[in-house]
C-alpha cells in the first residue's frame, strides 16, 4: 500500500520547490542587474588572474623580481669589493708613508751620529786640561841644545793627566833622551804631536787614540828643571820638523 505524506501548513517545501524558487530568484535579480553589479569585481579579478596564468605573465614577473634581487646583490658585492680595495690602498699608502718617515728619521739620526763622530774625531783640545803655556815656542837659552825651544811648555804639576790633543796613532812611546819619557802620535790629519818629560806612559806603539784620551802622566824626566809638559807639533815624527804649536792648536779650535 502506498504511503502518502500528509500535507499541511507545517510541512516545508520540497527540494524541487526550493530549487525552482532559487532559480526564479536568481533570474529576477539578474533581470534587475543586482547580481551583475555585485559579482563584477570578483569576477573581473578572477578573470584577470586566469588571463595572467594563461599568458605566462605571472611567471615573467617572478623571473624579473629574481633578476632584480640578483642584480642588487651583485651591485652590493661590487660596492663592498670597491670599498675593500679602497681601504687596502689607503692602508698601503699610509704604511708606505710611515715607513718613509721612519726611514727619513733613521737616516737623519745616522747622519747626525756620523757628523757628531766626525767632529769628535777631528776635534782638538789642550794636552793638560785647564793648563796654560809657561814657556813659549822658540824661546832662547842654554837649556836647549839647538839654542831655542822647539815646542811649548804647559804648566803640569807632577802626576797631572796628559791626553792626546786629537785622534791618531802612537808611533813612539818610551825613552827619548833629553825629552825623558816621551810619546809621538801621528794625527789623523797627517801631522805629528810630541809629549815629553812624562813620569809614566799608558799607551804603546801602534795603538789608536781618541781626542782627550789619557796617554800618560806628567813629570820631570830627561832634561828638565821641574815638573811640566813639553809639547811639540811636527810635520814628521823626527826632531827638527817642529812647527809653531800655539798656531797649530789655535787653527784646530783650541784656545791657547
Amino acid at each position: 500500500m502506498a504511503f502518502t505524506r500528509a500535507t499541511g501548513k507545517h510541512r516545508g517545501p520540497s527540494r524541487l520547490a526550493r530549487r525552482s524558487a532559487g532559480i526564479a530568484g536568481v533570474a529576477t535579480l539578474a533581470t534587475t542587474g543586482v547580481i551583475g553589479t555585485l559579482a563584477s569585481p570578483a569576477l573581473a579579478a578572477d578573470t584577470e588572474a586566469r588571463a595572467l596564468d594563461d599568458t605566462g605573465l605571472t611567471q615573467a614577473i617572478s623571473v624579473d623580481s629574481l633578476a632584480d634581487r640578483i642584480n642588487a646583490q651583485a651591485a652590493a658585492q661590487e660596492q663592498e669589493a670597491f670599498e675593500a680595495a679602497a681601504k687596502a690602498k689607503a692602508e698601503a699608502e699610509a704604511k708606505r708613508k710611515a715607513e718613509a718617515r721612519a726611514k727619513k728619521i733613521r737616516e737623519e739620526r745616522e747622519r747626525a751620529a756620523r757628523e757628531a763622530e766626525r767632529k769628535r774625531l777631528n776635534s782638538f783640545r789642550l794636552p793638560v786640561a785647564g793648563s796654560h803655556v809657561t814657556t813659549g815656542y822658540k824661546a832662547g837659552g842654554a837649556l836647549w841644545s839647538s839654542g831655542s825651544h822647539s815646542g811649548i811648555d804647559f804648566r803640569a804639576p807632577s802626576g797631572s793627566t796628559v791626553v792626546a790633543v786629537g785622534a791618531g796613532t802612537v808611533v813612539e812611546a818610551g825613552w827619548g833622551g833629553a825629552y825623558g819619557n816621551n810619546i809621538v802620535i801621528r794625527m789623523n790629519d797627517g801631522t805629528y804631536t810630541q809629549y815629553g818629560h812624562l813620569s809614566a806612559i799608558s799607551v804603546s806603539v801602534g795603538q789608536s787614540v781618541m781626542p782627550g784620551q789619557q796617554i800618560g802622566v806628567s813629570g820631570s824626566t830627561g832634561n828638565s828643571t821641574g815638573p811640566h809638559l813639553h809639547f811639540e807639533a811636527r810635520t814628521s815624527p823626527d826632531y827638527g820638523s817642529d812647527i809653531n804649536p800655539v798656531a797649530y792648536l789655535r787653527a784646530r779650535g783650541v784656545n791657547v
Side-chain angles (χ1 to χ4, degrees), residues 46-124:
D46 183 60
T47 302
E48 183 180 357
R50 285 199 300 272
L52 291 174
D53 289 340
D54 291 343
T55 59
L57 291 178
T58 300
Q59 183 179 0
I61 292 172
S62 298
V63 172
D64 289 343
S65 298
L66 178 60
D68 290 342
R69 287 197 299 271
I70 292 174
N71 290 336
Q73 184 178 10
Q77 291 174 346
E78 183 177 355
Q79 181 64 23
E80 290 177 0
F82 175 79
E83 291 176 355
K87 181 179 180 181
K89 182 178 180 181
E91 290 176 349
E93 180 65 13
K95 181 179 180 182
R96 184 191 68 77
K97 289 182 178 180
E99 290 176 347
R101 286 195 299 269
K103 181 180 179 182
K104 183 177 180 181
I105 292 172
R106 183 170 61 253
E107 289 175 347
E108 289 176 351
R109 288 176 177 174
E110 290 174 352
R111 183 164 54 251
R114 289 194 299 270
E115 180 63 17
E117 181 65 8
R118 184 190 66 79
K119 289 181 178 180
R120 186 180 74 85
L121 293 177
N122 292 330
S123 64
F124 280 74

Side-chain angles (χ1 to χ4, degrees), residues 44-254:
D46 183 60
T47 302
E48 183 180 357
R50 285 199 300 272
L52 291 174
D53 289 340
D54 291 343
T55 59
L57 291 178
T58 300
Q59 183 179 0
I61 292 172
S62 298
V63 172
D64 289 343
S65 298
L66 178 60
D68 290 342
R69 287 197 299 271
I70 292 174
N71 290 336
Q73 184 178 10
Q77 291 174 346
E78 183 177 355
Q79 181 64 23
E80 290 177 0
F82 175 79
E83 291 176 355
K87 181 179 180 181
K89 182 178 180 181
E91 290 176 349
E93 180 65 13
K95 181 179 180 182
R96 184 191 68 77
K97 289 182 178 180
E99 290 176 347
R101 286 195 299 269
K103 181 180 179 182
K104 183 177 180 181
I105 292 172
R106 183 170 61 253
E107 289 175 347
E108 289 176 351
R109 288 176 177 174
E110 290 174 352
R111 183 164 54 251
R114 289 194 299 270
E115 180 63 17
E117 181 65 8
R118 184 190 66 79
K119 289 181 178 180
R120 186 180 74 85
L121 293 177
N122 292 330
S123 64
F124 280 74
R125 63 208 58 202
L126 290 173
V128 179
S131 186
H132 61 273
V133 176
T134 56
T135 304
Y137 180 60
K138 294 299 184 181
L143 294 175
W144 302 284
S145 58
S146 63
S148 64
H149 198 200
S150 57
I152 55 177
D153 292 340
F154 282 97
R155 178 182 179 278
S158 184
S160 299
T161 297
V162 176
V163 303
V165 295
T169 304
V170 178
V171 296
E172 181 178 340
W175 188 257
Y179 291 110
N181 293 320
N182 90 123
I183 298 170
V184 178
I185 298 174
R186 184 186 187 278
M187 311 306 291
N188 286 349
D189 63 4
T191 60
Y192 293 81
T193 54
Q194 188 254 6
Y195 313 76
H197 307 306
L198 302 174
S199 62
I201 295 173
S202 54
V203 292
S204 57
V205 174
Q207 180 177 340
S208 295
V209 294
M210 295 293 105
Q213 179 179 334
Q214 182 172 352
I215 58 175
V217 177
S218 64
S220 186
T221 58
N223 185 13
S224 173
T225 58
H228 69 282
L229 173 70
H230 176 83
F231 175 80
E232 288 187 20
R234 299 175 176 177
T235 58
S236 78
D238 303 320
Y239 171 79
S241 63
D242 53 276
I243 55 178
N244 187 333
V246 173
Y248 176 88
L249 290 174
R250 285 178 177 172
R252 289 158 176 78
V254 181

